[in-house]
Amino acid sequence: MEKDSGKGNTEVYELAICFARMWGVAETLDPLPTLGFPEVKDRMIQWAKECIEGGEEDILMFFRRKLAQAEKMKGEEKDEEGEEG
């Protein structure tokens, strides 16, 4: 885990925690990829960094876009598996 070297990391981690909670709620409402803790942690930190660096004002809309991208990628992976088998 990265060390907190200032306000920037604190902001990232606070937003990542928010996203992780949102991910947990979304898991109960929609079928999402089954990810372990390290994968969820890394994904939420990355999304938080992207959100902050992109100057996003609406974190809910950002999160919804990222969820849609994750679901699309999951669907594409299933299509590829079906072609091979």
Side-chain angles (χ1 to χ4, degrees):
M1 182 180 280
E2 296 176 29
K3 290 188 178 181
D4 185 357
S5 61
K7 182 170 175 12
N9 282 344
T10 300
E11 185 179 12
V12 167
Y13 293 137
E14 286 176 352
L15 185 54
I17 291 167
C18 183
F19 284 162
R21 293 184 71 189
M22 292 165 69
W23 180 271
V25 171
E27 281 180 318
T28 65
L29 301 174
D30 256 340
L32 292 176
T34 303
L35 303 175
F37 175 78
E39 292 85 5
V40 172
K41 178 190 70 143
D42 293 344
R43 185 177 291 198
M44 296 307 112
I45 290 171
Q46 182 59 41
W47 287 6
K49 287 177 181 178
E50 287 178 32
C51 185
I52 291 166
E53 290 170 3
E56 296 284 338
E57 293 185 20
D58 188 337
I59 65 167
L60 180 56
M61 291 305 295
F62 176 86
F63 186 79
R64 286 181 174 171
R65 276 195 315 272
K66 298 305 273 187
L67 273 184
Q69 290 171 358
E71 289 174 0
K72 182 179 178 188
M73 288 175 58
K74 180 182 174 187
E76 290 172 358
E77 288 173 3
K78 281 187 176 182
D79 289 345
E80 289 175 7
E81 288 173 6
E83 291 172 6
E84 293 174 9

